[in-house]
Amino acid sequence: MANHSIVIASGKGGVGKTSLAVNLAIALAQAGKKTVLLDADVAMASVGIMLGIERAPISLHNVLMGEVDVRDAVYDGPNGLKYVPSGLSLERIKKVEYEKMKAAVETLADANEFVIIDSPPGLGPDAMAAIKAGHELVLVVTPEPASLADALKIKSIAEKNNLKILGVVSNFVTRDKSEIKRQDLETLLGLKILAEIPDDFEARRSAAMQVPAITRVPASAYSRAILQVANAMPGVEVQIVEVKTRKENFFSKFAKALGSMFKKKK
Ligand SMILES: Nc1ncnc2c1ncn2[C@@H]1O[C@H](COP(=O)(O)OP(=O)(O)O)[C@@H](O)[C@H]1O
Ligand SMILES: [Mg+2]
């Protein structure tokens, strides 16, 4: 089995990595791929919160402290997805041995087609460990200059560590004039854009409700963009159902009404 361990990385925080990692992992599981989601953001541990799952007794913290095998920290998530949570104890983080991350990911990759790794932002030891643990990387950016400078640093680190960069996901896209355009992003980063995810209140609402968008609102613009990312993953093909926007519905109803008015006149 050609297994994939894909780090979801960014320079800047708050660009939507955890949301992408959680929803992408569920999309892959829904597509029938054996998938495990690893919460490698050891300090923030937000995967469990986004999934709406209670604090787990055994977490990646125990694995990184050499107390348990990573297989003992795997839990059942939604839609057949498995996940490895991080713990929330700040005291214990100090004792974590980040070098153990790579071996943990390799163990997970032996038993799964996809290991999706949610990484911390920045270039600290936690972020470096997450990046070095994967074989492939998806770079998350927002279409603005500050995000790009940081993204280029991550790109260079990924290349130095021989990760295959699958491409870029541009998140919080609004199509405002001030935004960096898709083509320019590709040129500036020297990487392919896998998908543009719109700024969608459904993503924010899903995080607040602790139910991932892909299951709560599968027809939302956010969820459909997630499926585009899933389709860009090696060996994955999912159907993206076209949905009519409210505007189209309004206009088609309007056109029908006009049509019937003319018929009556005949
Ligand atoms: N496309 C989007 N549209 C609207 N809100 C989003 C989008 N992507 C993420 N969010 C929201 O932004 C916040 C930060 O996202 P998160 O995934 O935690 O980012 P990161 O892991 O990079 O820090 C969350 O509240 C999330 O719901
Ligand atoms: Mg995060």
Side-chain angles (χ1 to χ4, degrees), residues 56-226:
I58 296 173
S59 76
L60 184 66
H61 285 193
N62 302 92
V63 179
L64 298 183
M65 288 171 73
E67 292 169 352
V68 297
D69 186 280
V70 69
R71 282 167 290 202
D72 298 326
V74 178
Y75 295 81
D76 287 325
N79 301 74
L81 174 71
K82 305 273 182 201
Y83 83 104
V84 177
S86 260
L88 291 167
S89 152
L90 278 174
E91 239 346 274
R92 286 164 68 86
I93 288 174
K94 294 178 197 148
K95 298 178 200 145
V96 150
E97 292 168 37
Y98 287 109
E99 317 78 69
K100 290 192 163 62
M101 188 89 83
K102 183 144 186 84
V105 169
E106 294 299 339
T107 303
L108 294 172
D110 282 343
N112 291 277
E113 290 171 274
F114 285 93
V115 184
I116 301 296
I117 305 164
D118 181 31
S119 73
L123 301 169
D126 49 351
M128 292 301 288
I131 293 172
K132 287 181 181 171
H135 289 170
E136 290 132 309
L137 183 136
V138 169
L139 193 53
V140 186
V141 303
T142 54
E144 57 195 358
S147 158
L148 297 196
D150 291 343
L152 283 168
K153 287 183 206 149
I154 301 289
K155 180 191 174 190
S156 137
I157 287 164
E159 284 169 349
K160 262 185 216 140
N161 286 282
N162 297 318
L163 275 87
K164 181 177 178 194
I165 304 179
L166 298 176
V168 176
V169 170
S170 180
N171 194 22
F172 290 104
V173 172
T174 62
R175 309 267 175 229
D176 183 73
K177 266 192 232 153
S178 65
E179 253 175 34
I180 305 174
K181 305 271 171 308
R182 181 182 186 133
Q183 191 63 52
D184 295 335
L185 267 183
E186 290 194 328
T187 310
L188 288 164
L189 291 170
L191 294 166
K192 200 173 111 189
I193 306 285
L194 304 176
E196 292 180 297
I197 306 183
D199 188 322
D200 184 354
F201 68 91
E202 291 292 8
R204 227 168 271 119
R205 196 178 275 178
S206 300
M209 292 170 76
Q210 294 184 269
V211 185
I214 198 89
T215 46
R216 195 181 68 81
V217 278
S220 63
Y222 183 83
S223 300
R224 283 180 295 130
I226 292 290

